[in-house]
């Protein structure tokens, strides 16, 4: 960082570099720590994805009425009810 065109550290970058140096000074292995954190993140993503699938499956079993069966949406008239339902549906 000391050169003819010096660069500055961001607060986040300086904090991360300090933590890395402390970790190495305490005998930690950086590569193993990175792999461990990556595996933890992948595990969290898998759990989150599974949770979403379980919730979706339960909702599909509980709700027998589908949005396409609502006549207000299929008539074509623009009423407050149809606009409200379309905004909830996302279209």
């Amino acid at each position: 960082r000391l050169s003819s065109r010096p660069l500055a550290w961001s607060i986040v970058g300086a904090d991360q570099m300090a933590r890395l140096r402390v970790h190495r000074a305490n005998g930690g292995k950086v590569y193993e720590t990175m792999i461990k954190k990556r595996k933890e993140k992948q595990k969290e993503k898998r759990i989150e994805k599974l949770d979403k699938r379980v919730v979706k499956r339960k909702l599909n079993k509980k709700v027998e009425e589908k949005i396409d069966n609502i006549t207000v949406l299929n008539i074509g008239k623009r009423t407050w009810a149809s606009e409200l339902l379309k905004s909830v549906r996302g279209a």
Side-chain angles (χ1 to χ4, degrees):
R1 299 281 175 179
L2 299 175
S3 67
S4 61
R5 289 184 279 162
L7 301 173
W9 290 94
S10 68
I11 293 174
V12 174
D15 181 56
Q16 290 175 346
M17 186 56 71
R19 289 174 187 269
L20 178 66
R21 288 180 177 176
V22 168
H23 181 69
R24 285 193 63 204
N26 288 335
K29 299 194 177 186
V30 177
Y31 187 72
E32 291 175 4
T33 305
M34 285 177 41
I35 290 174
K36 184 178 176 183
K37 285 193 178 199
R38 184 179 293 154
K39 285 182 181 181
E40 288 175 3
K41 284 183 182 182
Q42 288 174 347
K43 185 176 180 181
E44 288 176 7
K45 284 182 182 180
R46 281 194 308 255
I47 290 171
E48 186 177 317
K49 194 174 183 181
L50 181 63
D51 286 346
K52 285 181 182 179
R53 287 191 347 214
V54 168
V55 168
K56 187 175 182 181
R57 191 175 296 157
K58 284 186 178 185
L59 283 175
N60 285 339
K61 287 182 181 179
K62 300 257 182 202
V63 179
E64 295 179 17
E65 185 66 35
K66 302 290 182 195
I67 277 206
D68 294 334
N69 295 339
I70 300 173
T71 55
V72 172
L73 294 176
N74 296 328
I75 290 175
K77 277 186 162 181
R78 293 184 68 171
T79 63
W80 65 270
S82 65
E83 293 299 316
L84 175 72
L85 290 171
K86 285 180 183 178
S87 69
V88 170
R89 178 177 69 182

